[in-house]
Amino acid sequence: MEFNGLLNTSLDLNAEPLRFPDERSALVDELKRVNAENKRLTEMLTEVSKNYNELQNRIMECNKIKNPGMDNTAASRKRKAVINGSASESSSSDEQSCKKLREEHTKAKISRVYIQTQASDTSLIVKDGYQWRKYGQKVTRDNPCPRAYFKCSYAPTCPVKKKVQRSVEDRSVLVATYDGEHNHPHTSKLEMTSDLNRSVILGLVPCPTSLGSSGPSITLDLTKQKTSYNSSSKVSTPEFQKFLVEQMASTLTKDPNFKSALAAAISGKFLQQTER
DNA sequence: CGCTTTTGACCGGCGC
DNA sequence: GCGCCGGTCAAAAGCG
């Protein structure tokens, strides 16, 4: 992922004959400089995503230490079970209910996706390649932005649900929470890729049903393409880091504002040099 | 006309 | 028991 393609498309260096003898060498120098900067930025991006993954692993480790063998959700559910049932229940039935809860938890796979969108884009539509039907919208207490509720409408038996809400901290970021697993093949790859052009997936967060717990492996099944990553097992792999970096870079290179700004900055530099 | 979206009503869980 | 809150339902409206 280099910005060379961008530079080649934005500035066709061969389009016009060079008027100044120094211009060519200046352009080459500038190109070298931009390439070096590009490399540096790429390294920075890789470093950032690496740090992010390390941090996430640490959080998971901490949670495991805090609640060995049981996540918060299971704990809360167990608490509820104790309240509902009699306190003098035998330990074996307790264990059984625990087992059941854990099974339930692994069955209900939940993942959270952060999607960067245009600030002006007020829709709560995340085109991930599946067909969704909106069945509700609600304003929640912790976030003034409404939360939209979607069901997978591709197959009537598909149990997958999705909640989409704008982030409180950054309104341009959509938070999509996927609940369950699709029991049918992916519907449209084109839609998904087009959406990735419009926005960038900032991260896939393994999202146990309650925060701060170490849940089971959670899969975001954004189709079986290269954009599909099992968040818990692949998030720290070089492939995922590369994917993140590529997504960020492709978003930048596909952004016309970024292109024009870069072109303006470079041409401005050239003008300065030629004026001198 | 059929499908999707909107939106107020309703329901169940939870805390007090 | 009551009130709050998140999630879901379903009738009405919108749209192609």
Side-chain angles (χ1 to χ4, degrees), chain A residues 213-265:
Chain A
S213 64
S214 62
S217 165
I218 290 144
T219 305
L220 168 68
D221 187 12
L222 281 176
T223 78
K224 280 83 189 165
Q225 304 181 59
K226 71 167 184 175
T227 43
S228 170
Y229 282 88
N230 181 311
S231 50
S232 63
S233 62
K234 290 185 185 169
V235 84
S236 56
T237 61
E239 285 87 0
F240 184 80
Q241 288 172 16
K242 197 182 165 200
F243 163 73
L244 266 182
V245 170
E246 278 174 3
Q247 282 302 323
M248 290 175 193
S250 73
T251 306
L252 281 175
T253 54
K254 278 164 189 162
D255 185 353
N257 293 334
F258 177 77
K259 269 188 186 184
S260 55
L262 186 64

Short mmCIF file of all heavy atoms in Angstrom, two decimals, chain A residues 213-265:
data_model
loop_
_atom_site.label_atom_id
_atom_site.label_comp_id
_atom_site.label_asym_id
_atom_site.label_seq_id
_atom_site.Cartn_x
_atom_site.Cartn_y
_atom_site.Cartn_z
N SER A 213 -15.56 -8.11 30.21
CA SER A 213 -15.48 -9.52 30.50
C SER A 213 -14.76 -10.23 29.39
O SER A 213 -14.66 -9.76 28.28
CB SER A 213 -16.87 -10.09 30.67
OG SER A 213 -17.56 -9.97 29.45
N SER A 214 -14.27 -11.37 29.70
CA SER A 214 -13.55 -12.12 28.68
C SER A 214 -14.48 -13.15 28.09
O SER A 214 -14.63 -14.23 28.59
CB SER A 214 -12.35 -12.81 29.30
OG SER A 214 -12.78 -13.70 30.28
N GLY A 215 -15.11 -12.78 27.05
CA GLY A 215 -16.09 -13.65 26.43
C GLY A 215 -15.45 -14.70 25.56
O GLY A 215 -14.25 -14.74 25.39
N PRO A 216 -16.27 -15.52 24.98
CA PRO A 216 -15.78 -16.54 24.08
C PRO A 216 -15.40 -15.93 22.75
O PRO A 216 -15.61 -14.75 22.53
CB PRO A 216 -16.98 -17.47 23.94
CG PRO A 216 -18.15 -16.58 24.15
CD PRO A 216 -17.70 -15.52 25.10
N SER A 217 -14.86 -16.77 21.88
CA SER A 217 -14.49 -16.30 20.55
C SER A 217 -15.70 -15.76 19.83
O SER A 217 -16.74 -16.40 19.77
CB SER A 217 -13.89 -17.46 19.77
OG SER A 217 -13.86 -17.13 18.42
N ILE A 218 -15.59 -14.58 19.31
CA ILE A 218 -16.71 -13.94 18.65
C ILE A 218 -16.34 -13.65 17.21
O ILE A 218 -15.29 -13.12 16.93
CB ILE A 218 -17.08 -12.65 19.39
CG1 ILE A 218 -17.70 -13.03 20.72
CG2 ILE A 218 -18.06 -11.83 18.59
CD1 ILE A 218 -17.36 -12.11 21.82
N THR A 219 -17.21 -14.02 16.30
CA THR A 219 -16.90 -13.87 14.89
C THR A 219 -17.75 -12.79 14.26
O THR A 219 -18.96 -12.79 14.41
CB THR A 219 -17.17 -15.19 14.16
OG1 THR A 219 -16.44 -16.19 14.81
CG2 THR A 219 -16.77 -15.10 12.72
N LEU A 220 -17.11 -11.88 13.59
CA LEU A 220 -17.85 -10.96 12.74
C LEU A 220 -17.80 -11.54 11.35
O LEU A 220 -16.77 -11.55 10.71
CB LEU A 220 -17.23 -9.57 12.74
CG LEU A 220 -17.81 -8.68 11.64
CD1 LEU A 220 -19.26 -8.37 11.95
CD2 LEU A 220 -17.02 -7.44 11.49
N ASP A 221 -18.91 -12.05 10.89
CA ASP A 221 -18.92 -12.69 9.60
C ASP A 221 -19.31 -11.69 8.53
O ASP A 221 -20.41 -11.65 8.06
CB ASP A 221 -19.90 -13.87 9.62
CG ASP A 221 -19.79 -14.66 8.34
OD1 ASP A 221 -18.84 -14.44 7.58
OD2 ASP A 221 -20.66 -15.49 8.11
N LEU A 222 -18.38 -10.86 8.17
CA LEU A 222 -18.63 -9.88 7.11
C LEU A 222 -18.37 -10.54 5.77
O LEU A 222 -17.63 -10.02 4.95
CB LEU A 222 -17.71 -8.66 7.27
CG LEU A 222 -18.12 -7.65 8.31
CD1 LEU A 222 -17.06 -6.58 8.39
CD2 LEU A 222 -19.45 -7.05 8.03
N THR A 223 -18.93 -11.70 5.59
CA THR A 223 -18.75 -12.51 4.39
C THR A 223 -17.42 -13.23 4.44
O THR A 223 -16.56 -12.91 5.23
CB THR A 223 -18.76 -11.72 3.08
OG1 THR A 223 -17.51 -11.10 2.95
CG2 THR A 223 -19.86 -10.72 3.05
N LYS A 224 -17.25 -14.17 3.57
CA LYS A 224 -16.03 -14.98 3.56
C LYS A 224 -14.99 -14.39 2.64
O LYS A 224 -14.29 -15.08 1.92
CB LYS A 224 -16.38 -16.41 3.15
CG LYS A 224 -16.95 -17.24 4.28
CD LYS A 224 -18.42 -17.04 4.49
CE LYS A 224 -18.87 -17.73 5.76
NZ LYS A 224 -20.17 -17.30 6.18
N GLN A 225 -14.88 -13.10 2.61
CA GLN A 225 -13.86 -12.47 1.79
C GLN A 225 -12.64 -12.21 2.63
O GLN A 225 -12.55 -12.59 3.75
CB GLN A 225 -14.36 -11.14 1.25
CG GLN A 225 -15.64 -11.24 0.48
CD GLN A 225 -16.00 -9.88 -0.01
OE1 GLN A 225 -15.26 -9.25 -0.74
NE2 GLN A 225 -17.12 -9.37 0.38
N LYS A 226 -11.72 -11.46 2.04
CA LYS A 226 -10.51 -11.13 2.79
C LYS A 226 -10.81 -10.13 3.88
O LYS A 226 -10.02 -9.93 4.77
CB LYS A 226 -9.42 -10.59 1.86
CG LYS A 226 -9.71 -9.21 1.33
CD LYS A 226 -8.47 -8.64 0.69
CE LYS A 226 -8.64 -7.23 0.23
NZ LYS A 226 -7.43 -6.65 -0.28
N THR A 227 -11.99 -9.51 3.81
CA THR A 227 -12.35 -8.56 4.83
C THR A 227 -12.97 -9.23 6.04
O THR A 227 -13.35 -8.60 6.98
CB THR A 227 -13.33 -7.53 4.29
OG1 THR A 227 -14.29 -8.21 3.51
CG2 THR A 227 -12.63 -6.48 3.49
N SER A 228 -13.08 -10.55 5.99
CA SER A 228 -13.67 -11.26 7.11
C SER A 228 -12.59 -11.68 8.09
O SER A 228 -11.65 -12.35 7.74
CB SER A 228 -14.41 -12.48 6.58
OG SER A 228 -14.78 -13.30 7.65
N TYR A 229 -12.76 -11.28 9.31
CA TYR A 229 -11.77 -11.62 10.31
C TYR A 229 -12.44 -12.07 11.59
O TYR A 229 -13.36 -11.44 12.07
CB TYR A 229 -10.89 -10.41 10.64
CG TYR A 229 -9.85 -10.20 9.59
CD1 TYR A 229 -10.12 -9.41 8.47
CD2 TYR A 229 -8.62 -10.82 9.68
CE1 TYR A 229 -9.17 -9.22 7.51
CE2 TYR A 229 -7.67 -10.64 8.71
CZ TYR A 229 -7.94 -9.83 7.63
OH TYR A 229 -7.00 -9.66 6.67
N ASN A 230 -11.97 -13.19 12.06
CA ASN A 230 -12.40 -13.61 13.38
C ASN A 230 -11.66 -12.73 14.36
O ASN A 230 -10.46 -12.80 14.49
CB ASN A 230 -12.06 -15.09 13.59
CG ASN A 230 -12.51 -15.55 14.95
OD1 ASN A 230 -12.24 -14.89 15.95
ND2 ASN A 230 -13.21 -16.66 14.98
N SER A 231 -12.42 -11.91 15.07
CA SER A 231 -11.79 -10.85 15.84
C SER A 231 -10.89 -11.37 16.95
O SER A 231 -9.89 -10.77 17.26
CB SER A 231 -12.85 -9.95 16.42
OG SER A 231 -13.82 -10.72 17.07
N SER A 232 -11.27 -12.47 17.57
CA SER A 232 -10.48 -12.88 18.71
C SER A 232 -9.21 -13.60 18.31
O SER A 232 -8.20 -13.52 18.97
CB SER A 232 -11.31 -13.77 19.62
OG SER A 232 -11.65 -14.93 18.92
N SER A 233 -9.25 -14.32 17.18
CA SER A 233 -8.09 -15.11 16.83
C SER A 233 -7.19 -14.42 15.82
O SER A 233 -6.01 -14.69 15.76
CB SER A 233 -8.53 -16.46 16.29
OG SER A 233 -9.29 -16.26 15.13
N LYS A 234 -7.76 -13.52 15.02
CA LYS A 234 -6.96 -12.95 13.94
C LYS A 234 -6.61 -11.49 14.15
O LYS A 234 -5.86 -10.92 13.37
CB LYS A 234 -7.72 -13.10 12.62
CG LYS A 234 -7.79 -14.53 12.16
CD LYS A 234 -8.44 -14.59 10.81
CE LYS A 234 -8.64 -16.01 10.35
NZ LYS A 234 -9.48 -16.08 9.18
N VAL A 235 -7.19 -10.90 15.19
CA VAL A 235 -7.03 -9.46 15.34
C VAL A 235 -5.58 -9.05 15.52
O VAL A 235 -5.18 -7.95 15.17
CB VAL A 235 -7.92 -8.95 16.49
CG1 VAL A 235 -7.24 -9.12 17.82
CG2 VAL A 235 -8.31 -7.53 16.26
N SER A 236 -4.79 -9.96 16.05
CA SER A 236 -3.40 -9.59 16.31
C SER A 236 -2.46 -10.12 15.24
O SER A 236 -1.26 -9.99 15.36
CB SER A 236 -2.99 -10.11 17.67
OG SER A 236 -3.22 -11.49 17.70
N THR A 237 -3.02 -10.73 14.19
CA THR A 237 -2.16 -11.29 13.17
C THR A 237 -1.65 -10.21 12.24
O THR A 237 -2.27 -9.16 12.10
CB THR A 237 -2.93 -12.33 12.33
OG1 THR A 237 -4.01 -11.65 11.71
CG2 THR A 237 -3.44 -13.46 13.18
N PRO A 238 -0.50 -10.46 11.59
CA PRO A 238 0.02 -9.47 10.63
C PRO A 238 -0.98 -9.20 9.52
O PRO A 238 -1.06 -8.10 9.01
CB PRO A 238 1.27 -10.14 10.09
CG PRO A 238 1.61 -11.23 11.04
CD PRO A 238 0.37 -11.62 11.74
N GLU A 239 -1.77 -10.24 9.16
CA GLU A 239 -2.76 -10.05 8.10
C GLU A 239 -3.77 -8.99 8.49
O GLU A 239 -4.14 -8.14 7.69
CB GLU A 239 -3.50 -11.37 7.80
CG GLU A 239 -2.71 -12.38 7.04
CD GLU A 239 -1.87 -13.25 7.97
OE1 GLU A 239 -1.92 -13.05 9.19
OE2 GLU A 239 -1.14 -14.10 7.46
N PHE A 240 -4.20 -9.07 9.76
CA PHE A 240 -5.19 -8.09 10.20
C PHE A 240 -4.60 -6.70 10.24
O PHE A 240 -5.23 -5.73 9.83
CB PHE A 240 -5.73 -8.46 11.59
CG PHE A 240 -6.81 -7.53 12.06
CD1 PHE A 240 -8.11 -7.69 11.60
CD2 PHE A 240 -6.53 -6.48 12.92
CE1 PHE A 240 -9.12 -6.83 12.02
CE2 PHE A 240 -7.52 -5.63 13.34
CZ PHE A 240 -8.82 -5.80 12.88
N GLN A 241 -3.36 -6.62 10.73
CA GLN A 241 -2.71 -5.31 10.77
C GLN A 241 -2.57 -4.74 9.37
O GLN A 241 -2.83 -3.57 9.13
CB GLN A 241 -1.34 -5.44 11.43
CG GLN A 241 -1.45 -5.69 12.92
CD GLN A 241 -0.13 -6.01 13.54
OE1 GLN A 241 0.92 -5.76 12.94
NE2 GLN A 241 -0.14 -6.54 14.75
N LYS A 242 -2.20 -5.63 8.46
CA LYS A 242 -2.04 -5.20 7.07
C LYS A 242 -3.39 -4.73 6.53
O LYS A 242 -3.49 -3.71 5.84
CB LYS A 242 -1.50 -6.37 6.24
CG LYS A 242 -0.92 -5.92 4.92
CD LYS A 242 -0.45 -7.12 4.12
CE LYS A 242 -0.21 -6.75 2.69
NZ LYS A 242 -0.21 -7.89 1.80
N PHE A 243 -4.42 -5.51 6.89
CA PHE A 243 -5.78 -5.16 6.45
C PHE A 243 -6.17 -3.77 6.94
O PHE A 243 -6.69 -2.95 6.19
CB PHE A 243 -6.75 -6.22 6.97
CG PHE A 243 -8.20 -5.79 6.94
CD1 PHE A 243 -8.85 -5.71 5.72
CD2 PHE A 243 -8.87 -5.48 8.10
CE1 PHE A 243 -10.18 -5.33 5.68
CE2 PHE A 243 -10.20 -5.09 8.06
CZ PHE A 243 -10.85 -5.02 6.84
N LEU A 244 -5.91 -3.53 8.23
CA LEU A 244 -6.24 -2.23 8.81
C LEU A 244 -5.52 -1.10 8.08
O LEU A 244 -6.12 -0.10 7.69
CB LEU A 244 -5.83 -2.21 10.29
CG LEU A 244 -6.91 -2.56 11.30
CD1 LEU A 244 -6.34 -2.43 12.70
CD2 LEU A 244 -8.13 -1.67 11.15
N VAL A 245 -4.23 -1.31 7.89
CA VAL A 245 -3.41 -0.30 7.23
C VAL A 245 -3.91 -0.07 5.82
O VAL A 245 -4.06 1.08 5.37
CB VAL A 245 -1.92 -0.74 7.22
CG1 VAL A 245 -1.10 0.17 6.34
CG2 VAL A 245 -1.37 -0.72 8.64
N GLU A 246 -4.24 -1.17 5.13
CA GLU A 246 -4.72 -1.04 3.76
C GLU A 246 -6.04 -0.29 3.70
O GLU A 246 -6.26 0.54 2.83
CB GLU A 246 -4.89 -2.44 3.13
CG GLU A 246 -3.58 -2.99 2.62
CD GLU A 246 -3.73 -4.42 2.14
OE1 GLU A 246 -4.84 -4.97 2.15
OE2 GLU A 246 -2.70 -4.99 1.75
N GLN A 247 -6.92 -0.61 4.68
CA GLN A 247 -8.21 0.07 4.70
C GLN A 247 -8.04 1.57 4.91
O GLN A 247 -8.67 2.38 4.24
CB GLN A 247 -9.09 -0.51 5.81
CG GLN A 247 -9.73 -1.83 5.45
CD GLN A 247 -10.59 -1.73 4.21
OE1 GLN A 247 -11.26 -0.73 3.99
NE2 GLN A 247 -10.56 -2.74 3.37
N MET A 248 -7.18 1.92 5.86
CA MET A 248 -6.95 3.34 6.14
C MET A 248 -6.38 4.04 4.91
O MET A 248 -6.82 5.11 4.51
CB MET A 248 -6.00 3.50 7.33
CG MET A 248 -6.63 3.09 8.64
SD MET A 248 -5.41 3.16 9.94
CE MET A 248 -6.22 2.30 11.25
N ALA A 249 -5.38 3.38 4.31
CA ALA A 249 -4.72 3.98 3.15
C ALA A 249 -5.68 4.11 1.98
O ALA A 249 -5.72 5.14 1.30
CB ALA A 249 -3.53 3.14 2.76
N SER A 250 -6.48 3.04 1.76
CA SER A 250 -7.38 3.10 0.61
C SER A 250 -8.42 4.18 0.80
O SER A 250 -8.84 4.84 -0.14
CB SER A 250 -8.04 1.75 0.38
OG SER A 250 -9.02 1.51 1.36
N THR A 251 -8.86 4.36 2.07
CA THR A 251 -9.82 5.41 2.33
C THR A 251 -9.23 6.77 2.03
O THR A 251 -9.87 7.64 1.43
CB THR A 251 -10.29 5.36 3.79
OG1 THR A 251 -10.76 4.06 4.05
CG2 THR A 251 -11.41 6.34 4.03
N LEU A 252 -7.98 6.94 2.43
CA LEU A 252 -7.30 8.21 2.18
C LEU A 252 -7.16 8.45 0.69
O LEU A 252 -7.44 9.54 0.18
CB LEU A 252 -5.93 8.23 2.85
CG LEU A 252 -5.92 8.51 4.35
CD1 LEU A 252 -4.51 8.37 4.88
CD2 LEU A 252 -6.46 9.90 4.65
N THR A 253 -6.70 7.40 -0.01
CA THR A 253 -6.42 7.59 -1.44
C THR A 253 -7.71 7.76 -2.23
O THR A 253 -7.70 8.38 -3.28
CB THR A 253 -5.63 6.40 -2.00
OG1 THR A 253 -6.34 5.20 -1.69
CG2 THR A 253 -4.24 6.35 -1.45
N LYS A 254 -8.82 7.20 -1.71
CA LYS A 254 -10.07 7.33 -2.45
C LYS A 254 -10.81 8.61 -2.08
O LYS A 254 -11.82 8.94 -2.70
CB LYS A 254 -10.94 6.11 -2.18
CG LYS A 254 -10.56 4.94 -3.04
CD LYS A 254 -11.15 3.67 -2.53
CE LYS A 254 -10.56 2.48 -3.28
NZ LYS A 254 -10.76 1.24 -2.58
N ASP A 255 -10.34 9.28 -1.08
CA ASP A 255 -10.99 10.52 -0.67
C ASP A 255 -10.54 11.65 -1.60
O ASP A 255 -9.38 12.03 -1.62
CB ASP A 255 -10.59 10.84 0.77
CG ASP A 255 -11.33 12.06 1.30
OD1 ASP A 255 -12.04 12.70 0.48
OD2 ASP A 255 -11.20 12.35 2.49
N PRO A 256 -11.48 12.21 -2.40
CA PRO A 256 -11.10 13.27 -3.33
C PRO A 256 -10.53 14.49 -2.63
O PRO A 256 -9.65 15.17 -3.17
CB PRO A 256 -12.42 13.61 -4.04
CG PRO A 256 -13.50 13.01 -3.23
CD PRO A 256 -12.91 11.88 -2.46
N ASN A 257 -11.02 14.76 -1.41
CA ASN A 257 -10.50 15.91 -0.66
C ASN A 257 -9.03 15.72 -0.33
O ASN A 257 -8.22 16.64 -0.43
CB ASN A 257 -11.29 16.10 0.64
CG ASN A 257 -12.70 16.49 0.37
OD1 ASN A 257 -13.00 17.08 -0.67
ND2 ASN A 257 -13.61 16.15 1.27
N PHE A 258 -8.72 14.48 0.09
CA PHE A 258 -7.34 14.20 0.43
C PHE A 258 -6.45 14.33 -0.80
O PHE A 258 -5.37 14.92 -0.75
CB PHE A 258 -7.24 12.80 1.02
CG PHE A 258 -5.81 12.38 1.33
CD1 PHE A 258 -5.16 12.88 2.45
CD2 PHE A 258 -5.12 11.52 0.49
CE1 PHE A 258 -3.87 12.50 2.73
CE2 PHE A 258 -3.83 11.15 0.77
CZ PHE A 258 -3.20 11.63 1.90
N LYS A 259 -6.95 13.79 -1.93
CA LYS A 259 -6.19 13.85 -3.17
C LYS A 259 -5.89 15.29 -3.57
O LYS A 259 -4.75 15.65 -3.84
CB LYS A 259 -6.99 13.18 -4.31
CG LYS A 259 -6.72 11.72 -4.48
CD LYS A 259 -7.43 11.27 -5.75
CE LYS A 259 -7.34 9.78 -5.95
NZ LYS A 259 -7.93 9.35 -7.20
N SER A 260 -6.97 16.09 -3.57
CA SER A 260 -6.80 17.47 -4.03
C SER A 260 -5.90 18.25 -3.09
O SER A 260 -5.08 19.06 -3.52
CB SER A 260 -8.15 18.15 -4.19
OG SER A 260 -8.87 18.06 -2.99
N ALA A 261 -6.06 17.96 -1.77
CA ALA A 261 -5.23 18.66 -0.79
C ALA A 261 -3.76 18.31 -0.99
O ALA A 261 -2.88 19.18 -0.95
CB ALA A 261 -5.68 18.29 0.62
N LEU A 262 -3.52 17.01 -1.23
CA LEU A 262 -2.15 16.57 -1.45
C LEU A 262 -1.59 17.17 -2.73
O LEU A 262 -0.45 17.67 -2.76
CB LEU A 262 -2.11 15.04 -1.52
CG LEU A 262 -0.72 14.41 -1.60
CD1 LEU A 262 0.07 14.70 -0.32
CD2 LEU A 262 -0.82 12.90 -1.80
N ALA A 263 -2.42 17.14 -3.78
CA ALA A 263 -1.97 17.70 -5.06
C ALA A 263 -1.67 19.19 -4.92
O ALA A 263 -0.66 19.69 -5.43
CB ALA A 263 -3.06 17.46 -6.11
N ALA A 264 -2.57 19.89 -4.18
CA ALA A 264 -2.38 21.32 -3.99
C ALA A 264 -1.10 21.61 -3.22
O ALA A 264 -0.33 22.51 -3.55
CB ALA A 264 -3.58 21.90 -3.26
N ALA A 265 -0.87 20.77 -2.18
CA ALA A 265 0.32 20.97 -1.36
C ALA A 265 1.58 20.76 -2.17
O ALA A 265 2.53 21.55 -2.10
CB ALA A 265 0.29 19.99 -0.18
#
